[in-house]
Amino acid sequence: LDVNAAGPNDAGYRGAGGFSGQSNAFGSISIVPATQTENGKLTDKGSDGYMTTISPGPAYGYFAGSYYPYRSDIDRIDYSNDTATASVRGRLPVEASYGGGTGNDSYGYSLGGWKQPGAGSYVFRQDYASDTTTSSTRGPLSVRGYHLRAIGNNDYGYCGGRSDNQNQTNNYSIIDRIDYSNDTAIAVRKGDLHQGSRKLSSAGTADYGYVAGGTNPELSSTTRIDYSNDTAISVQKGPMNRTRRNFGGMSSPAYAY
């Protein structure tokens, strides 16, 4: 299982994720990747889909939620001392998993996820300046879902793809946008992904978001969201060298991995 999160500048951080009923099982200890701020650029670090993600501020990475057992706690990694055990900070309002995360320099947002008996339209916000508190509930997504991915810049957060039922028979191409300056409003649906998918990954810059892979069908495609023209359908770019799902993404200012 390859689950990746990025640190500052050129560093990358990897978290281990737990799978249930998948071929590459890892057990139940689970951490989730997050976003980073690099020279003003925000990038989402996709996860294996079994966890909810919170994004970090400039000095820290935050990992939230878990699957089996479901958890709501938030761990923080100090990039300046990254060999130490992550410290436990605040909590999500619910024990959720399978979500996505993005944010800006002040707040991290955890989006969607699974909480028995079904998928949620959750939007939770964590304040980095007060990170031992419980995340606050903000405006919901336009459509509930899990196995989605998020990306963003300093003004907006985007989440794309998802499934909404336990059997994962529905795959959506929906992209929701959260306005950080008005985050109690319902997320606004923008241009769709070029194809419905779940268990995908994402990375990006301040100008573009890239969403790659996913399943049903198995995908190797990479598609780009233009933040300056976000009502358009995402544009396919060069594919990965193989199909992938349940994988992670990270990026530097020039490259995505």
CSV table of all heavy atoms in Angstrom, one decimal, residues 29 48 89 124 185 213 233 236:
chain,number,residue,atom,x,y,z
A,29,ILE,N,-3.5,0.1,11.8
A,29,ILE,CA,-2.9,1.4,12.1
A,29,ILE,C,-2.9,2.3,10.9
A,29,ILE,O,-2.4,1.9,9.9
A,29,ILE,CB,-1.5,1.2,12.6
A,29,ILE,CG1,-1.5,0.3,13.9
A,29,ILE,CG2,-0.8,2.5,12.9
A,29,ILE,CD1,-0.1,-0.1,14.4
A,48,ASP,N,-5.2,6.4,0.9
A,48,ASP,CA,-5.7,5.2,0.4
A,48,ASP,C,-7.2,5.1,0.4
A,48,ASP,O,-7.8,4.1,0.0
A,48,ASP,CB,-5.2,4.0,1.3
A,48,ASP,CG,-5.8,4.1,2.7
A,48,ASP,OD1,-6.0,5.3,3.1
A,48,ASP,OD2,-6.1,3.1,3.3
A,89,ARG,N,-3.7,15.9,18.8
A,89,ARG,CA,-4.2,17.3,19.0
A,89,ARG,C,-5.7,17.2,19.2
A,89,ARG,O,-6.2,16.6,20.1
A,89,ARG,CB,-3.8,18.1,17.7
A,89,ARG,CG,-2.4,18.0,17.3
A,89,ARG,CD,-1.4,18.3,18.4
A,89,ARG,NE,-1.4,19.8,18.8
A,89,ARG,CZ,-0.6,20.3,19.7
A,89,ARG,NH1,0.2,19.5,20.4
A,89,ARG,NH2,-0.7,21.6,20.0
A,124,PHE,N,-15.5,19.7,7.7
A,124,PHE,CA,-15.0,20.0,9.1
A,124,PHE,C,-13.8,20.9,8.9
A,124,PHE,O,-12.9,20.6,8.1
A,124,PHE,CB,-14.6,18.8,9.9
A,124,PHE,CG,-15.8,17.8,10.1
A,124,PHE,CD1,-15.6,16.4,9.9
A,124,PHE,CD2,-17.0,18.3,10.4
A,124,PHE,CE1,-16.6,15.6,10.1
A,124,PHE,CE2,-18.1,17.4,10.7
A,124,PHE,CZ,-17.9,16.0,10.5
A,185,ALA,N,-21.4,28.1,3.8
A,185,ALA,CA,-22.4,27.9,2.7
A,185,ALA,C,-22.2,26.5,2.1
A,185,ALA,O,-21.2,25.8,2.3
A,185,ALA,CB,-22.1,28.9,1.6
A,213,GLY,N,-5.9,8.4,-11.8
A,213,GLY,CA,-6.2,7.1,-11.4
A,213,GLY,C,-7.6,6.9,-10.9
A,213,GLY,O,-8.5,7.7,-11.2
A,233,ILE,N,-15.2,21.2,-17.8
A,233,ILE,CA,-14.9,19.8,-17.5
A,233,ILE,C,-13.4,19.7,-17.5
A,233,ILE,O,-12.7,20.3,-18.3
A,233,ILE,CB,-15.5,18.8,-18.5
A,233,ILE,CG1,-17.0,18.8,-18.4
A,233,ILE,CG2,-15.0,17.4,-18.4
A,233,ILE,CD1,-17.7,18.0,-19.5
A,236,GLN,N,-8.1,16.0,-19.8
A,236,GLN,CA,-7.1,14.9,-19.7
A,236,GLN,C,-5.7,15.3,-20.2
A,236,GLN,O,-5.5,16.0,-21.2
A,236,GLN,CB,-7.6,13.7,-20.6
A,236,GLN,CG,-8.7,12.9,-19.9
A,236,GLN,CD,-8.9,11.6,-20.7
A,236,GLN,OE1,-9.8,11.5,-21.5
A,236,GLN,NE2,-8.2,10.6,-20.3
